[in-house]
Amino acid sequence: MKILLDDLIHPDVVALLRSHLEGMHEHTPEGHVHALGLGELKAVNVSFWVAWEGGEVLGFGALKELSVKAGEIKSMRTHASHLRKGVGVALLEHIIQTAKLRGYHRLSLETGTGPAFEPAVNLYRKYGFENGQSFADYQDTAFNQFLHLRL
């Protein structure tokens, strides 16, 4: 598996992103989806990586710079045919390592609650992420939760 910075042009990457966004809307109440779309993931303060094996897209993840000391994990997704094969672990470890190399003191993320979000939340908790306060422009609601990792 190779994890490479990506420009969000490859049709298989775009298709997986589209599937990710559809899933977020399916499992999230109206007005509570904070996943970034194609244009937002191309912003200068966002790094977007794709996990590849051969010519196949395994998954992706993004890191948004909030400040010189903090980052936010955005849009992590493993392709359905590669679940439980270590893709999410590899992407998360890559993002955490990048955040450390950038000198971030904290890595945060916003996610939902409920069965659709539990596998991801369990992965983050295994890496030391803990529930905490809202951050950036997020509003605390009954649906979302905020996880933070001190680096």
Side-chain angles (χ1 to χ4, degrees), residues 22-64:
E22 288 169 0
M24 292 298 98
H25 285 280
E26 179 183 341
H27 298 287
T28 305
E30 181 86 23
H32 292 278
V33 174
H34 300 292
L36 299 180
L38 184 65
E40 296 165 306
L41 287 168
K42 291 182 177 183
V44 296
N45 65 333
V46 177
S47 300
F48 183 85
W49 294 276
V50 174
W52 295 90
E53 190 164 73
E56 190 173 3
V57 175
L58 306 179
F60 59 71
L63 176 60
K64 179 178 181 180

Side-chain angles (χ1 to χ4, degrees), residues 3-109:
I3 297 176
L4 304 170
L5 273 173
D6 193 86
D7 56 9
L8 292 131
I9 292 175
H10 194 284
D12 293 345
V13 173
V14 173
L16 184 56
L17 176 61
R18 187 174 301 117
S19 174
H20 172 67
L21 294 172
E22 288 169 0
M24 292 298 98
H25 285 280
E26 179 183 341
H27 298 287
T28 305
E30 181 86 23
H32 292 278
V33 174
H34 300 292
L36 299 180
L38 184 65
E40 296 165 306
L41 287 168
K42 291 182 177 183
V44 296
N45 65 333
V46 177
S47 300
F48 183 85
W49 294 276
V50 174
W52 295 90
E53 190 164 73
E56 190 173 3
V57 175
L58 306 179
F60 59 71
L63 176 60
K64 179 178 181 180
E65 182 168 286
L66 300 176
S67 73
V68 295
K69 294 183 180 183
E72 177 185 3
I73 295 176
K74 297 296 297 185
S75 302
M76 283 205 29
R77 174 67 82 178
T78 299
H79 192 283
S81 61
H82 297 287
L83 293 172
R84 293 174 228 353
K85 295 181 181 177
V87 177
V89 167
L91 286 163
L92 181 58
E93 288 178 353
H94 185 84
I95 290 171
I96 291 171
Q97 183 62 29
T98 300
K100 288 178 179 178
L101 289 171
R102 290 181 181 177
Y104 293 170
H105 296 237
R106 186 175 82 170
L107 195 51
S108 301
L109 64 99

Side-chain angles (χ1 to χ4, degrees), residues 111-126 145 147:
T111 192
T113 56
F117 299 93
E118 287 175 12
V121 170
N122 289 336
L123 173 63
Y124 297 129
R125 287 199 175 117
K126 285 180 186 175
Q145 58 185 312
L147 301 173

